[in-house]
Amino acid sequence: LVPEVSAPGTNVLAAYHTPGESAPFGGTPSDAEIDLMSGTSMASPHGAGSALLLMDLFPDWTPMEIKSAIVMSAYDETTVKEDGVTPTDPFDDGNGRIDLTKAALIGLVMDETAANFEAANPAEGGDEKTLNIPSYQNSQCVGECSFSRTVTNVADVETDYNVVIDAPESVLITPTPSSFTLGVGESQTVEFEIDVTGAEMGAWQFASVTFATTDTFSTGEPITDARFQLAVMPDAGNLPALVEKEV
């Protein structure tokens, strides 16, 4: 499911240099320009900088663990679409806006290997939905579909979690287990069964999964809930012609 997160990218006050002009470094102050700039070129540095800061805090984490911490702690609910009023959906900003104050206190991360990414390549017969990443998207959920995710406790204390589902009434998502306790460094795989038989056919259905906890680190700081988004589209599948006609 992309995008995975959002970051400040509109009207960012930044220094820039016009190609062809003398470089501002070593020049006079008049050589440098400052302006409001927008776009991916402004948002991307926020993402890269966020990863670098977390890598400094947690040098033993893998790149995917760093990424999952950023994604699963980015659940700002204040972002809106271009009209400035309508709330965004996961296709606009993924899991939400990056928030390092939450990412630095995350208690769960997900990891994945380069070999599994290569094996999941659809062009080679793989299925990217099987990757252990903090999102899930399925454009052909025929009646029911399922997936699993494995999380690892990176807090310095044993932690209790409840799996909280936020989904439309027409979408039933059942996690197994629905609660669990992890010691330091322990992992847990959670299976998710999705029933979309009551949802509108051909319309995207959005939901979120939150691993919620009220526990704290040994320092007393609250452990951040970990959340990821999913998007599924109910699909009729290959129904026999007679059934399709009668429907």
Side-chain angles (χ1 to χ4, degrees):
L1 193 160
V2 292
E4 294 169 292
V5 292
S6 63
T10 301
N11 292 337
V12 177
L13 187 62
Y16 74 97
H17 169 60
T18 303
E21 296 182 357
S22 59
F25 304 106
T28 64
S30 61
D31 291 328
E33 296 183 68
I34 297 178
D35 200 357
L36 290 173
M37 301 184 70
S38 300
T40 307
S41 296
M42 297 292 100
S44 178
H46 284 89
S50 297
L52 286 172
L53 288 171
L54 285 188
M55 289 170 66
D56 185 58
L57 281 176
F58 309 107
D60 295 332
W61 288 11
T62 69
M64 288 306 299
E65 288 174 333
I66 293 289
K67 179 177 180 178
S68 70
I70 293 173
V71 173
M72 290 198 293
S73 60
Y75 40 85
D76 188 311
E77 302 289 352
T78 64
T79 52
V80 293
K81 292 178 179 287
E82 289 83 354
D83 61 11
V85 178
T86 307
T88 53
D89 61 48
F91 288 157
D92 296 312
D93 62 357
N95 208 50
R97 184 164 52 189
I98 292 175
D99 186 345
L100 287 182
T101 65
K102 294 178 180 177
L105 297 174
I106 198 76
L108 294 176
V109 294
M110 294 183 186
D111 198 11
E112 189 53 279
T113 65
N116 283 346
F117 269 100
E118 292 178 358
N121 183 359
E124 302 294 334
D127 183 359
E128 65 271 30
K129 294 190 293 298
T130 64
L131 290 171
N132 193 48
I133 56 177
S135 68
Y136 176 78
Q137 178 174 311
N138 190 338
S139 61
Q140 294 180 311
C141 187
V142 183
E144 297 178 350
C145 47
S146 62
F147 69 99
S148 65
R149 291 294 183 267
T150 300
V151 292
T152 300
N153 180 19
V154 291
D156 61 355
V157 295
E158 181 179 87
T159 311
D160 298 322
Y161 284 96
N162 291 316
V163 184
V164 180
I165 306 297
D166 183 6
E169 292 184 1
S170 58
V171 178
L172 178 63
I173 302 176
T174 305
T176 304
S178 58
S179 62
F180 54 88
T181 299
L182 290 179
V184 178
E186 291 184 343
S187 299
Q188 174 69 54
T189 297
V190 181
E191 304 286 341
F192 296 92
E193 297 288 339
I194 307 174
D195 185 339
V196 295
T197 54
E200 180 183 354
M201 201 68 62
W204 283 106
Q205 307 293 320
F206 301 112
S208 66
V209 174
T210 301
F211 301 104
T213 182
T214 58
D215 291 337
T216 62
F217 288 92
S218 60
T219 57
E221 295 174 292
I223 297 174
T224 298
D225 291 343
R227 188 192 79 164
F228 68 90
Q229 300 274 23
L230 58 89
V232 294
M233 180 181 290
D235 188 276
N238 296 319
L239 293 176
L242 178 60
V243 174
E244 288 183 337
K245 182 177 180 181
E246 291 179 348
V247 170

